[in-house]
Amino acid sequence: MNTGLRITTFAAALAATFGAAYGVGRGIDPVVADSPPKHGDEHSRPPAQEQAEGGGHGGHDTPPAGGLQVSEGGYTLDLDTPRVTAGKQAGLRFTVRDTGGRAVTAYQREHDKELHLIVASRDLVTYRHLHPTRAADGTWSTPVNLPRAGGYRVFADFTPAGKNAENLTLGADLAASGPYEARPLPPASTTARVDGYEVKLSGAPQPGRASELKLRVSRDGRPVTDLQPYLGAYGHLVALRSGDLAYLHVHPNGEPGDGTTRPGPDISFTATAPSSGAYRLFLDFKHDGKVHTAAFTVRAGGAAAGSGTPEGHADDGSGTPEGHAEDGHGH
């Protein structure tokens, strides 16, 4: 067998092996054709990143990227659980460390929590918004059950205690082992259906400039006008950029009790996209004592789009991501 044939045969065998299972070692990020550069977040403030290839939006009006770095501003996300088994509940543990390697034990409370933890699959189908508990030694922990094998990204969104401390979003990779099947980004539309609710999206994020996103919640064809406060707001919106999973955490315009903000059916947000490209939006809202999540796929710089269903949704678009709860076990 000549050298060229041996190399071709080995490559084919290697491809078959990785297509059959996602191992327990470090995950390999997928290659995405429409992969934006590493810059973009409105909520956290990392250093400027390289601009997009082929004319991406950089410049002074572009918000910096969040969640792309494991260390930022003198703090590091130390993930003690880099691997779990798909389909089985596991304890996810991590620590935030300062420049001296000491565990951080003092945080500012934002939206009723010291730290918000997001876990999302690389294909942006599975999503968890978790609120872990912190031990006295600074170790954070929460149960998690990831339904499918593959690569995931863990985002820790927090503000350390201290005067003039800035909000940070640190990110680390997490692997779920088991039989692996690649899936495309969910398709785009302007409507998401979840748990019997219908959520319509109007507006679209624009690269480098602020724009309004309005989401209207209804059930059984009737507008929901009695949304309940959840973490100090009527809705929370997280956006993740397809490809590198740059993190954008946006909060709504107005808040409960301010005298002007109504409890639905509309929830309004102002957001700035870090670059053009595809994004996955996850809206958390609370009604009848339960938290629900509606998911949309949109393209920054284009017309509003949305929907596709997070992991755990029924084929007809109903349902909600698995594991949602208010007790820190995720939603």
Side-chain angles (χ1 to χ4, degrees):
M1 184 181 293
N2 60 42
T3 301
L5 182 57
R6 286 197 299 270
I7 293 174
T8 301
T9 302
F10 173 77
L14 185 62
T17 299
F18 277 96
Y22 197 96
V24 297
R26 177 176 295 274
I28 299 177
D29 293 346
V31 177
V32 180
D34 185 13
S35 179
K38 294 184 176 181
H39 63 149
D41 181 19
E42 181 172 287
H43 192 58
S44 55
R45 303 175 176 84
Q49 305 287 328
E50 56 186 297
Q51 293 189 4
E53 295 181 5
H57 294 263
H60 299 294
D61 294 332
T62 303
L68 297 176
Q69 303 178 87
V70 70
S71 295
E72 172 66 38
Y75 296 89
T76 297
L77 175 58
D78 182 4
L79 187 61
D80 297 334
T81 314
R83 292 177 298 276
V84 296
T85 300
K88 295 184 178 180
Q89 183 165 292
L92 190 64
R93 293 167 55 87
F94 65 94
T95 306
V96 177
R97 301 190 181 278
D98 62 18
T99 52
R102 298 176 294 270
V104 178
T105 58
Y107 297 81
Q108 296 182 26
R109 295 182 68 86
E110 294 190 338
H111 296 276
D112 296 338
K113 299 291 181 180
E114 290 186 337
L115 183 145
H116 298 263
L117 188 72
I118 302 297
V119 180
S121 59
R122 283 283 175 182
D123 57 19
L124 295 178
V125 174
T126 302
Y127 172 82
R128 301 286 185 272
H129 184 166
L130 308 167
H131 295 108
T133 57
R134 177 176 57 83
D137 66 356
T139 301
W140 293 89
S141 62
T142 182
V144 66
N145 189 335
L146 302 177
R148 294 180 181 268
Y152 290 78
R153 189 72 172 171
V154 175
F155 301 92
D157 181 346
F158 65 94
T159 301
K163 188 176 181 180
N164 300 322
E166 293 187 346
N167 177 267
L168 297 170
T169 301
L170 304 180
D173 288 330
L174 173 67
S177 62
Y180 174 71
E181 179 181 356
R183 291 164 296 171
L185 186 71
S189 75
T190 56
T191 302
R193 294 178 178 86
V194 53
D195 302 335
Y197 295 85
E198 183 177 84
V199 184
K200 289 185 176 293
L201 168 68
S202 61
Q206 298 299 322
R209 64 183 177 87
S211 61
E212 184 183 25
L213 303 177
K214 184 176 290 186
L215 297 110
R216 169 160 287 203
V217 182
S218 63
R219 185 170 65 171
D220 299 328
R222 298 179 179 178
V224 175
T225 59
D226 57 346
L227 292 172
Q228 296 168 290
Y230 174 62
L231 301 176
Y234 288 126
H236 291 271
L237 187 67
V238 169
L240 297 174
R241 184 169 58 192
S242 178
D244 62 359
L245 271 64
Y247 177 96
L248 180 66
H249 194 172
V250 189
H251 294 291
N253 299 320
E255 60 184 20
D258 63 6
T260 59
T261 303
R262 296 183 177 181
D266 295 328
I267 312 172
S268 174
F269 299 85
T270 299
T272 303
S275 72
S276 60
Y279 289 77
R280 191 81 164 136
L281 306 183
F282 299 94
L283 171 71
D284 294 331
F285 64 95
K286 185 178 180 180
H287 188 245
D288 282 350
K290 295 182 179 180
V291 178
H292 312 275
T293 300
F296 299 83
T297 301
V298 301
R299 177 166 292 277
S307 198
T309 54
E311 187 62 46
H313 283 221
D315 292 341
D316 64 355
S318 63
T320 184
E322 297 175 358
H324 281 228
E326 287 186 78
D327 56 4
H329 292 183
H331 59 270

